[in-house]
C-alpha cells in the first residue's frame, strides 16, 4: 500500500469506505479552500445586520454507519456437538 496513489479504491476502502474513492489530498485541499473562501466572503461582506447569507459547504464523502448485528444466544457444547453430527 505504500506506493498506491491516494485516489485508488484500496486507499479509499482503508480510509473508511467506497464513498472516499477519488478523494485524494488535492481534492480535500480544494474543498477546504472552497469553504475558506466562502467563510471569508461571509465574514467580510457588507451585509445588513443579521442578513449574511448562509453559504453551503462543499459536499464531502460521509461515513456510513455500520449496521449492528443482533447478539446471538451462545450455544452449549451439546448443541454444537449435535450440529456437527448431522449429515
Amino acid at each position: 500500500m505504500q506506493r498506491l496513489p491516494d485516489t485508488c479504491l484500496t486507499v479509499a476502502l482503508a480510509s473508511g469506505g467506497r464513498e472516499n474513492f477519488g478523494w485524494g489530498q488535492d481534492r480535500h485541499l480544494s474543498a477546504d479552500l472552497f469553504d475558506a473562501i466562502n467563510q471569508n466572503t461571509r465574514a467580510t461582506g457588507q451585509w445588513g445586520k443579521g442578513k449574511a447569507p448562509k453559504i453551503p459547504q462543499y459536499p464531502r464523502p460521509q461515513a456510513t454507519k455500520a449496521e449492528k448485528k443482533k447478539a446471538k444466544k451462545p450455544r452449549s457444547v451439546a448443541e454444537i456437538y449435535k450440529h456437527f453430527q448431522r449429515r
Side-chain angles (χ1 to χ4, degrees):
M1 279 205 29
Q2 292 178 350
R3 300 208 181 242
L4 290 174
D6 58 352
T7 57
C8 73
L9 184 59
T10 304
V11 173
L13 292 173
S15 297
R18 192 178 276 288
E19 64 275 354
N20 292 317
F21 180 62
W23 276 82
Q25 288 179 344
D26 58 336
R27 189 135 181 215
H28 281 286
L29 286 173
S30 297
D32 290 340
L33 181 63
F34 180 86
D35 291 339
I37 290 171
N38 283 340
Q39 286 299 322
N40 187 36
T41 303
R42 190 171 191 267
T44 60
Q46 298 285 327
W47 320 112
K49 191 170 189 174
K51 303 285 184 180
K54 177 68 176 160
I55 302 171
Q57 289 187 342
Y58 194 84
R60 290 178 170 80
Q62 300 293 324
T64 56
K65 294 182 180 180
E67 295 179 17
K68 292 185 178 181
K69 294 182 180 180
K70 293 183 180 179
K72 293 183 180 179
K73 180 182 169 189
R75 290 186 178 189
S76 67
V77 175
E79 290 172 344
I80 294 172
Y81 183 76
K82 272 190 217 176
H83 178 75
F84 285 111
Q85 293 301 318
R86 287 188 226 158
R87 290 187 183 187

